[in-house]
Amino acid sequence: MAFPKLTNDLILRAARGESVEQVPVWVMRQAGRYLQEFQDVRAQHDFFTICRTPELACEVTLQPIKKFSLDAAIIFSDILVVPQALGMTVEMIQGKGPHFPTPLNSPTDVKSLKYPVDVNKELNYVFSAISLTRHRLEGKVPLIGFCGAPWTLMSYMIEGGGSPTLSKAKAWLYQHQQASHELLQIISDVCVDFLVGQVQAGAQLLQVFESHGGLLSADFFTMYCVPYLGQIVRRVKENVMKNNLPVVPMIVFAKGAHYAVGELSQLGYDVISLDWTIKPQEARIAAGSNVTLQGNLDPCALFASEDEITKMTRGMLCQFGTHRYIANLGHGIYPNVSPDRVETFVNAVHSISAELIISAKQ
């Protein structure tokens, strides 16, 4: 499938450890409720209708690209399309978030999942949205595809929605170890096929969201997250090569799992995304020099004044450095942030990093 020629490959170069003229920047949840344009679309359509309608998903994906000088687009979708593909019903309740009317209550419920999954049938709408968006981007910036990580998806499937403690899902890890591993493997298999399909459809980077990783102990993260995160990156890269597809950079984001940066750096991901709770220098020491880091401005920092945002962005850039670095927030942007503050952040990353790079050469 032929796509328009890419004119801004900053983020791809940063992910591969190549030199850049300025640090690339994008924002998690950059297509979302903080934009009036998104709210206008959302007022007319159910959340998952937008996800499942390529034309709408493409429109929403492009909204922040048209508004800000971002260096990547990320396809509008949701990590919970994987449980849906496994046959689970997932609803998005306005003001509450995701809801599973029939969660997994015991290991016997795993047998009710529809597995194996034909991703080309169940998730083809995501692939169609990616291909359409690649064309509509006209080569302006690369397009990121993504999926949720196995533990994060498993926790939603058991909890039935969001939870501050994940006590039901974590209880499985203590009470049903074999069943937990079996479920994590099922989810991993779907994630691998899903990510390979996204590359085939035109995704130029991939991010794996282990959003609930930080709610596990370090030992349990090693036991229940690391093997499957490692399996996903290894199998995806093997499969894209086997199918003569481009080997795209892969990002892993394990929110709250600052204790695992060293482990994550050994798995084969090109980029480790960081939340705001870890110092950049400590992350670099833990990760080593052969992976790119991404992050990690506190999303709440965007409530500060424009001058303060610029100051914090400079501090972040000075701590991370400009090599092997992608600027981002430490998690998704909040819905009540002013778009003006996003513009301040994005422009500050570009101007300050370009200045730092030029001064380093003199």
Side-chain angles (χ1 to χ4, degrees):
M1 191 181 298
F3 293 111
K5 184 179 178 181
L6 185 63
T7 58
N8 175 357
D9 65 347
L10 268 180
I11 194 169
L12 299 178
R13 281 187 278 148
R16 293 190 294 252
E18 299 170 7
S19 62
V20 294
E21 310 82 57
Q22 59 188 24
V23 167
V25 56
W26 67 283
V27 174
M28 283 185 261
R29 292 194 194 136
Q30 63 189 33
R33 289 177 290 168
Y34 74 103
L35 290 176
Q36 184 60 50
E37 298 93 323
F38 175 82
Q39 292 181 35
D40 293 344
V41 175
R42 183 68 175 86
Q44 300 176 52
H45 305 281
D46 172 77
F47 178 85
F48 282 115
T49 297
I50 300 173
C51 293
R52 290 175 171 272
T53 309
E55 188 71 37
L56 292 174
C58 174
E59 177 186 346
V60 169
T61 300
L62 294 177
Q63 287 173 349
I65 303 304
K66 294 174 180 177
K67 200 172 187 74
F68 312 114
S69 299
L70 294 158
D71 295 299
I74 181 165
I75 194 65
F76 186 82
S77 184
D78 194 270
I79 64 171
L80 299 181
V81 299
V82 168
Q84 288 177 331
L86 283 161
M88 299 190 77
T89 299
V90 187
E91 303 166 346
M92 193 63 71
I93 309 298
Q94 192 86 17
K96 180 183 176 185
H99 171 65
F100 290 65
T102 310
L104 304 178
N105 292 311
S106 72
T108 57
D109 292 336
V110 176
K111 296 175 184 175
S112 69
L113 296 176
K114 295 179 181 177
Y115 176 80
V117 172
D118 180 353
V119 295
N120 290 312
K121 177 184 176 185
E122 301 296 336
L123 295 167
N124 187 63
Y125 60 89
V126 178
F127 304 150
S128 296
I130 287 172
S131 297
L132 177 63
T133 305
R134 271 296 304 274
H135 285 291
R136 296 272 176 87
L137 278 167
E138 299 178 335
K140 187 174 182 180
V141 293
L143 179 62
I144 302 171
F146 69 93
C147 75
W151 157 246
T152 293
L153 295 178
M154 171 181 166
S155 65
Y156 273 114
M157 292 160 72
I158 294 170
E159 295 287 344
S163 165
T165 62
L166 302 183
S167 58
K168 291 180 184 177
K170 289 174 70 174
W172 274 49
L173 306 184
Y174 288 96
Q175 297 171 353
H176 312 297
Q177 293 191 8
Q178 182 177 342
S180 295
H181 281 296
E182 289 172 358
L183 179 54
L184 289 165
Q185 187 59 58
I186 287 171
I187 297 168
S188 297
D189 291 344
V190 181
C191 288
V192 169
D193 291 345
F194 185 34
L195 290 172
V196 172
Q198 290 184 59
V199 175
Q200 191 161 21
Q204 292 153 291
L205 297 93
L206 299 171
Q207 179 154 316
V208 180
F209 285 86
E210 190 66 284
S211 307
H212 295 168
L215 275 78
L216 295 179
S217 68
D219 286 346
F220 267 30
F221 187 89
T222 297
M223 190 182 306
Y224 291 105
C225 295
V226 169
Y228 302 99
L229 290 171
Q231 187 184 133
I232 286 170
V233 68
R234 184 178 69 253
R235 290 172 60 193
V236 168
K237 290 191 175 186
E238 287 174 355
N239 287 350
V240 296
M241 289 178 68
K242 193 187 304 180
N243 290 293
N244 296 313
L245 297 169
V247 180
V248 304
M250 292 185 66
I251 308 165
V252 61
F253 175 52
K255 183 177 179 290
H258 49 82
Y259 48 74
V261 171
E263 273 185 293
L264 293 172
S265 71
Q266 303 300 313
L267 296 182
Y269 288 91
D270 305 273
V271 183
I272 297 174
S273 195
L274 306 166
D275 66 32
W276 65 95
T277 64
I278 186 168
K279 294 179 179 178
Q281 301 95 323
E282 292 177 1
R284 177 51 73 194
I285 291 169
S289 58
N290 294 322
V291 294
T292 294
L293 298 179
Q294 175 177 277
N296 71 337
L297 190 70
D298 182 349
C300 280
L302 296 185
F303 293 120
S305 67
E306 293 186 4
D307 287 347
E308 191 63 24
I309 291 170
T310 301
K311 180 181 177 182
M312 288 185 287
T313 301
R314 179 179 290 277
M316 183 177 74
L317 286 162
C318 289
Q319 291 179 76
F320 275 106
T322 56
H323 180 61
R324 275 200 174 279
Y325 175 53
I326 299 166
N328 205 319
L329 302 180
H331 198 216
I333 188 171
Y334 297 135
N336 52 342
V337 164
S338 166
D340 291 343
R341 297 300 192 265
V342 177
E343 184 172 20
T344 298
F345 171 61
V346 171
N347 292 345
V349 169
H350 284 154
S351 61
I352 295 168
S353 64
E355 168 197 316
L356 292 171
I357 290 168
I358 290 171
S359 63
K361 291 179 180 177
Q362 293 174 344

